[in-house]
Amino acid sequence: MEAEALRALVRAREDALQDLKAAKVRRKAFLLRQDIRDEGRANWGAAHLRWVADGVCPTPAQQSVFQEYVRAVSEQTARLQRLEAALAALVPRWRWYPVVEAMQALRGVQFTAAVTLIAELGDLRRFDTPRQLMSYLGLTPSEHSSGERRRQGAITKTGNAHARRVLVEGAWAYRSPAQVSRHLQLRLAKVPKAIQDISGKAQVRLGKRYRRLLARGKNANQVVVAIAHEMAAFVWAIAREVAVAH
């Protein structure tokens, strides 16, 4: 029951994030249709908000429409913040919190990504091997056989799409060489040495593999999916290590 409740909260947060992105796209599209461009204020900070309040559209009707788009972004931002605050308050009391904390040792897996993974996948000990987890996530290549010929195609995309998306998004972090950022350093300080070692191996292996596949002429999106496939093995290893420790 607790896992289902957190899964619902995680998915509500995901919906809010998508709605916020859509609201921002609609706001920007409206301005572009009016041929209005606010150069140098792309972050919508204090200066940008003052510009908005002053009225940027040529007619009152258009300004009213624009203000509605601005309001929609503000409302979706507040909704997302409320859901993220709820997650931050509830997850530390969850029985799987030690696994969530350990997952954040991986580069590209911060708090919400780690919560999503565990809320969607549950007890990772039910997967006897990393390959079983990869298959469940739909990150294994499809196969096409004809006679004695065997050809691999795109990933199957079966299984849990939410967890798969988190890993694919996290895989982009391995585009650059292995490094420990300040944020990652703080996360690593909270986990045992064995998990730190797994994180270090992931950094080196996945970074090298990314560059190797790119050098072979693979499309960047294909490379990222391949990295996500291997990330699943490190996720599995960390979950097992936490189980042993507890």
Side-chain angles (χ1 to χ4, degrees), residues 9 13 74-88:
L9 188 55
R13 184 234 169 230
S74 298
E75 290 171 354
Q76 294 302 333
T77 299
R79 174 187 167 205
L80 179 62
Q81 289 172 343
R82 287 194 300 271
L83 291 166
E84 290 183 339
L87 276 175

Side-chain angles (χ1 to χ4, degrees), residues 156-167:
T156 61
K157 291 189 178 180
T158 57
N160 194 292
H162 301 278
R164 181 172 64 249
R165 175 189 56 77
V166 164
L167 282 181

Side-chain angles (χ1 to χ4, degrees), residues 95-116:
R95 64 183 290 242
W96 294 115
Y97 181 62
V99 186
V100 169
E101 197 167 47
M103 287 300 163
Q104 294 176 71
L106 285 175
R107 186 178 181 185
V109 181
Q110 297 187 18
F111 177 74
T112 52
V115 174
T116 300

Side-chain angles (χ1 to χ4, degrees), residues 158-190:
T158 57
N160 194 292
H162 301 278
R164 181 172 64 249
R165 175 189 56 77
V166 164
L167 282 181
V168 171
E169 288 179 356
W172 286 102
Y174 295 92
R175 286 176 294 179
S176 54
Q179 59 177 327
V180 179
S181 67
R182 176 60 179 162
H183 292 296
L184 181 57
Q185 192 174 38
L186 292 173
R187 303 202 303 268
L188 286 171
K190 299 177 181 179

Side-chain angles (χ1 to χ4, degrees), residues 220-238:
N221 290 327
Q222 291 178 314
V223 173
V224 165
V225 170
I227 299 304
H229 175 269
E230 292 207 21
M231 274 182 75
F234 289 103
V235 165
W236 181 88
I238 287 175

Side-chain angles (χ1 to χ4, degrees):
M1 183 67 72
E2 185 184 27
E4 290 179 8
L6 273 169
R7 192 179 306 122
L9 188 55
V10 162
R11 292 186 181 184
R13 184 234 169 230
E14 186 177 326
D15 289 341
L17 181 60
Q18 294 306 314
D19 290 344
L20 174 58
K21 288 179 179 179
K24 287 181 176 180
V25 168
R26 286 191 289 268
R27 179 185 63 186
K28 183 176 181 180
F30 175 79
L31 287 177
L32 290 176
R33 287 197 300 272
Q34 316 308 316
D35 197 27
I36 298 171
R37 303 172 193 279
D38 182 30
E39 300 296 337
R41 296 173 182 166
N43 292 327
W44 288 79
H48 199 131
L49 292 174
R50 285 194 298 272
W51 173 74
V52 168
D54 290 339
V56 299
C57 297
T59 69
Q62 289 170 315
Q63 184 64 22
S64 294
V65 171
F66 179 56
Q67 292 292 359
E68 286 300 320
Y69 283 125
V70 171
R71 187 174 295 112
V73 171
S74 298
E75 290 171 354
Q76 294 302 333
T77 299
R79 174 187 167 205
L80 179 62
Q81 289 172 343
R82 287 194 300 271
L83 291 166
E84 290 183 339
L87 276 175
L90 292 172
V91 171
R93 301 198 295 269
W94 189 26
R95 64 183 290 242
W96 294 115
Y97 181 62
V99 186
V100 169
E101 197 167 47
M103 287 300 163
Q104 294 176 71
L106 285 175
R107 186 178 181 185
V109 181
Q110 297 187 18
F111 177 74
T112 52
V115 174
T116 300
L117 277 174
I118 305 308
E120 295 292 343
L121 298 176
D123 189 351
L124 288 170
R125 290 174 298 182
R126 63 196 174 99
F127 301 103
D128 293 329
T129 65
R131 190 169 295 278
Q132 287 182 2
L133 175 58
M134 294 168 184
S135 179
Y136 178 79
L137 289 167
L139 287 169
T140 53
S142 57
E143 292 188 7
H144 307 278
S145 300
S146 177
E148 296 182 356
R149 296 182 61 187
R150 176 176 167 273
R151 186 165 54 88
Q152 289 188 329
I155 59 171
T156 61
K157 291 189 178 180
T158 57
N160 194 292
H162 301 278
R164 181 172 64 249
R165 175 189 56 77
V166 164
L167 282 181
V168 171
E169 288 179 356
W172 286 102
Y174 295 92
R175 286 176 294 179
S176 54
Q179 59 177 327
V180 179
S181 67
R182 176 60 179 162
H183 292 296
L184 181 57
Q185 192 174 38
L186 292 173
R187 303 202 303 268
L188 286 171
K190 299 177 181 179
V191 299
K193 177 69 163 54
I195 293 174
Q196 293 178 16
D197 290 343
I198 294 173
S199 172
K201 289 177 183 177
Q203 282 247 37
V204 174
R205 178 178 173 82
L206 298 182
K208 285 182 178 178
R209 181 158 172 76
Y210 184 97
R211 293 188 294 278
R212 191 183 311 122
L213 289 174
L214 210 60
R216 284 166 50 186
K218 295 287 185 180
N219 176 276
N221 290 327
Q222 291 178 314
V223 173
V224 165
V225 170
I227 299 304
H229 175 269
E230 292 207 21
M231 274 182 75
F234 289 103
V235 165
W236 181 88
I238 287 175
R240 290 281 168 149
E241 187 61 42
V242 175
V244 169
H246 289 76

